[in-house]
Amino acid sequence: MGNFNPSPEKFGAEEGHIEEHLLNSLLEADGTAFTKEVDSYVWAERNAEARALAYLWHLNRRMANQWDPLRMTDFLPRFEKILGIRPPPNETDVGRRAKVRAKMEAYGAPPTQQVVHDLLTVVLGSIYAGLVHTPSSQAVGRVPGGATVPGGVTLANGDWYSTIAHLAIKTVQPAGLDDATFYDAVAQIALFLSDLLPTWVTFDWFLDGVHGAGFYLDEDRNLDNQRF
């Protein structure tokens, strides 16, 4: 076993380890009054001190990783609670870390379609099929008494309602993905977009049918979450 390698296996030179630097620093601090021979008691004591300090240094670095969303372990459930993330029951730790990172990066980010697209790509994975934008010329809006926006749309008379700032999220259910897993995944959309989008933007998701747009009476869920 080498002087500075932490295990019997050696994969390259020992020089440059932090233990070596700490040991040399401690020996130099002793001055010339003490021997620096490897088989001396002084060297053995300083080597033990260097290893203890190096252990604490490595431990501190590993502790810092608990604030890194792609490296955290013990702090992962805590950050999920802080950020309001409820991962699906079958979610892997890698997926959970990716969602924590995506939620962190969303804070302060402009709520552009590209930002929303990137976020949903992480949150939904293969279930996400894109965003459907409705131009204002095709949007529906109602306000009490009705109104006409100069150079814009005409709003019908009725209760407050608008699809002008509505974001439709198209999803698909890949073959082999059971319903429970699918619904667990899409349930996370609100958790992520509610903190990102402005209050005047509405959003919802829909399941694209296997035959494309529209609904068919011989398909499941054709009257609840497919588009038609």
Side-chain angles (χ1 to χ4, degrees):
M1 178 176 178
N3 293 329
F4 307 111
N5 267 324
S7 62
E9 295 84 2
K10 299 198 296 184
F11 304 94
E14 298 175 349
E15 295 182 358
H17 285 214
I18 186 174
E19 291 91 337
E20 180 187 21
H21 293 296
L22 289 169
L23 175 60
N24 291 336
S25 178
L26 291 171
L27 291 174
E28 290 176 5
D30 285 337
T32 59
F34 296 94
T35 180
K36 295 180 175 60
E37 296 297 327
V38 175
D39 57 352
S40 65
Y41 289 112
V42 173
W43 190 95
E45 290 177 356
R46 297 297 176 261
N47 185 41
E49 293 170 358
R51 287 182 175 275
L53 292 173
Y55 169 79
L56 294 175
W57 184 82
H58 288 296
L59 183 64
N60 188 59
R61 291 195 63 182
R62 291 179 60 81
M63 184 67 178
N65 287 339
Q66 296 296 339
W67 279 266
D68 184 339
L70 294 185
R71 293 181 174 86
M72 60 179 57
T73 52
D74 294 344
F75 282 14
L76 181 56
R78 178 60 176 168
F79 272 95
E80 288 175 330
K81 184 175 182 180
I82 292 172
L83 297 173
I85 300 174
R86 294 192 296 273
N90 61 339
E91 183 70 275
T92 65
D93 286 348
V94 173
R96 292 169 62 190
R97 294 187 188 103
K99 290 180 174 60
V100 169
R101 181 185 184 186
K103 191 68 177 287
M104 286 181 172
E105 292 179 345
Y107 282 108
T112 63
Q113 287 198 35
Q114 185 62 52
V115 170
V116 175
H117 170 79
D118 294 342
L119 180 63
L120 293 177
T121 299
V122 174
V123 174
L124 299 181
S126 61
I127 292 175
Y128 174 62
L131 300 174
V132 178
H133 173 67
T134 302
S136 59
S137 60
Q138 300 178 15
V140 177
R142 297 192 299 266
V143 295
T148 299
V149 179
V153 298
T154 298
L155 303 174
N157 178 35
D159 295 332
W160 291 95
Y161 176 79
S162 175
T163 63
I164 295 174
H166 181 73
L167 199 61
I169 303 162
K170 182 168 68 173
T171 66
V172 295
Q173 186 170 353
L177 186 68
D178 61 90
D179 290 348
T181 302
F182 173 80
Y183 286 113
D184 281 339
V186 296
Q188 299 179 83
I189 294 176
L191 301 177
F192 283 83
L193 294 190
S194 294
D195 294 332
L196 174 64
L197 297 177
T199 54
W200 62 82
V201 176
T202 58
F203 62 91
D204 204 349
W205 66 270
F206 65 91
L207 175 62
D208 217 21
V210 295
H211 303 296
F215 74 97
Y216 304 85
L217 294 179
D218 60 345
E219 289 185 1
D220 295 335
R221 302 185 300 275
N222 52 49
L223 293 179
D224 47 14
N225 60 20
Q226 288 186 345
R227 64 172 174 174
F228 55 89

